[in-house]
Amino acid sequence: MAKLSIIVPTYNEAENLGKLAEAIFASLARSSFELIIVDDNSPDGTGELADDMASRHGNVRVVHRTGKLGLGTAILEGLAAASGDIVGVIDADMQHPPELLKPMLEKAAGGADIVIASRYVEGGSVEGWSFVRKMISKGALWLSHLFLPQTRKVGDTMSGYFLFRKSVVEGAPLNVKDFKLLIEILAKGKYESVVELPYTFRTRKSGKSKLGSPQMLSYVKQLFRLSDYRILKFMAVGVSGILVNNGILWLLVSMGILPFLAAIFSIEASILSNFALNNFWTFGDRKVGNFLFRLVKYHGSVIVGAIVNYVAFVLLAAAGLNLIIANTVGILLGFVWNYLLSEIFVWRGA
Ligand SMILES: Nc1nc2c(ncn2[C@@H]2O[C@H](COP(=O)(O)OP(=O)(O)OP(=O)(O)O)[C@@H](O)[C@H]2O)c(=O)[nH]1
Ligand SMILES: [Mg+2]
């Protein structure tokens, strides 16, 4: 069987590490594996405890770092030290059941490129989380699916407990100043099959959690970066559309064309320019379906907003408002309409 390198990042886990190691040894008794503990100079003596374990077991190694440099880079240092063909990551605090390692390793040995211990597939769950923490986790999961289509088939993209073939990440530039390595691997790795095994994420029994709002911010930054800043591009295109719409309206009216005719052309021009920019820039990496069909679909998705824009413009202009102001109000109303339609019609909840 292929060799497994298990990376355990630790910061102040002295109360947990012994138990964890014992459980891992029990679960993998008949497999070839090494345990790599990456400790960030924990004040509670986790590092010394790890050294002691390494002196008693030939397959335990310790990477000492100078201070609390973060979970993401700790795992990467463990990865650099790993000699196995399959690499695993597990938390030290017993929230990840070590007995699942055996079935996970079997899946990997059976050909899966990535094996994820998952809270969000049939049979998985979380224990003792507040409503707010559940919502944050679900929201974060939803964001990863929204931004990174490669992750959409994965139920628990935020898992910190997973195995992968080392070949999956060979040549992939893993940039984990941010902290969710699995998402980085799903976005940049080379893999075909991903398997998820359910587990229950237990409450922490000893030690303290190290998570807070800086991690959430760095997660959002990670998604922005991995999605090639798509949402920001989309917003920039929206702003450019306002300029195109108003610019062409102004041009046509100053050439003597009647405003209610000019607005039709200016609105259509902004739809076309938004489409072109989104097609070749925002979504330039996605060539799905035929160009003309995409153009038709885009019109379908913005047509009602465009009509709202037009009607508002005609009414406000007829009431004597400055044409550019009338049109800008129309554009914003069209946007609000599109949003409301999505909220209460397209994605209406139960
Ligand atoms: N080396 C290293 N390990 C870290 C660092 N931060 C966290 N860890 C370890 O990473 C694992 C996960 O951290 P936790 O604080 O348990 O995060 P969590 O499980 O999402 O949060 P809780 O549910 O509150 O436990 C644990 O094994 C920690 O000891 C760090 O800066 N450096
Ligand atoms: Mg934890």
Side-chain angles (χ1 to χ4, degrees):
M1 224 188 209
K3 180 175 170 183
L4 170 65
S5 298
I6 306 163
I7 300 166
V8 187
T10 57
Y11 190 75
N12 284 347
E13 303 286 3
E15 293 166 84
N16 297 313
L17 189 58
K19 249 182 299 165
L20 175 84
E22 225 172 83
I24 291 177
F25 275 87
S27 176
L28 296 178
R30 277 178 298 281
S31 315
S32 153
F33 73 100
E34 64 178 352
L35 197 59
I36 302 175
I37 298 161
V38 185
D39 185 67
D40 277 4
N41 200 13
S42 302
D44 76 344
T46 307
E48 291 75 19
L49 190 75
D51 283 336
D52 179 56
M53 276 162 48
S55 69
R56 286 181 288 113
H57 300 277
N59 59 346
V60 175
R61 289 156 64 200
V62 190
V63 177
H64 291 282
R65 306 204 301 169
T66 52
K68 192 171 183 335
L69 301 174
L71 178 55
T73 54
I75 298 171
L76 284 191
E77 286 207 30
L79 180 59
S83 65
D85 321 292
I86 300 170
V87 177
V89 182
I90 184 170
D91 284 1
D93 57 8
M94 299 299 277
Q95 287 180 298
H96 297 154
E99 61 276 11
L100 199 61
L101 274 174
K102 178 90 185 160
M104 287 170 81
L105 180 57
E106 278 163 5
K107 290 284 180 200
D113 294 313
I114 301 175
V115 184
I116 303 169
S118 176
R119 295 161 291 183
Y120 303 130
V121 293
E122 183 80 41
S125 61
V126 291
E127 188 185 276
W129 272 14
S130 69
F131 179 73
V132 171
R133 184 151 185 199
K134 274 191 194 146
M135 282 298 107
I136 291 174
S137 182
K138 284 281 181 186
L141 177 64
W142 181 79
L143 281 180
S144 69
H145 288 165
L146 178 71
F147 280 111
L148 307 171
Q150 313 93 299
T151 71
R152 281 182 198 156
K153 289 207 180 87
V154 175
D156 193 353
T157 57
M158 318 274 304
S159 181
Y161 188 14
F162 51 93
L163 309 188
F164 56 97
R165 266 170 211 293
K166 219 186 198 168
S167 58
V168 169
V169 299
E170 259 154 30
L174 298 176
N175 175 353
V176 188
K177 279 189 255 42
D178 324 292
F179 84 148
K180 289 292 182 189
L181 181 65
L182 177 58
I183 290 197
E184 204 75 17
I185 292 175
L186 289 171
K188 290 184 184 165
K190 288 190 295 291
Y191 57 91
E192 281 178 2
S193 55
V194 179
V195 172
E196 290 184 85
L197 294 180
Y199 82 102
T200 298
F201 191 80
R202 301 173 200 144
T203 39
R204 197 179 239 285
K205 299 222 165 43
S206 337
K208 258 193 17 227
S209 167
K210 287 107 203 165
L211 284 187
S213 30
Q215 276 82 354
M216 288 182 214
L217 185 65
S218 90
Y219 174 66
V220 172
K221 282 203 294 210
Q222 181 184 17
L223 291 185
F224 271 31
R225 174 172 53 73
L226 289 175
S227 68
D228 216 5
Y229 301 98
R230 202 186 305 277
I231 190 95
L232 298 182
K233 290 180 180 173
F234 190 79
M235 284 158 67
V237 169
V239 171
S240 82
I242 298 177
L243 298 178
V244 168
N245 190 339
N246 278 328
I248 290 185
L249 179 70
W250 177 80
L251 198 75
L252 293 178
V253 171
S254 55
M255 282 163 56
I257 296 178
L258 288 172
F260 76 90
L261 270 181
I264 295 175
F265 288 102
S266 72
I267 291 171
E268 178 57 23
S270 69
I271 292 175
L272 290 175
S273 76
N274 279 6
F275 175 77
L277 285 170
N278 281 329
N279 190 67
F280 294 111
W281 187 51
T282 316
F283 292 98
D285 54 326
R286 289 196 206 160
K287 289 284 166 270
V288 274
N290 154 306
F291 179 86
L292 278 179
F293 183 48
R294 247 179 328 214
L295 182 59
V296 171
K297 281 203 287 189
Y298 186 71
H299 272 86
S301 72
V302 297
I303 190 74
V304 182
I307 292 171
V308 168
N309 178 175
Y310 183 72
V311 171
F313 167 74
V314 169
L315 293 177
L316 292 172
L321 201 65
N322 170 294
L323 294 183
I324 297 300
I325 296 176
N327 194 39
T328 304
V329 172
I331 294 169
L332 296 178
L333 286 178
F335 171 80
V336 170
W337 173 270
N338 279 342
Y339 175 74
L340 288 179
L341 210 62
S342 303
E343 183 69 64
I344 62 182
F345 175 59
V346 184
W347 285 282
R348 187 193 182 99

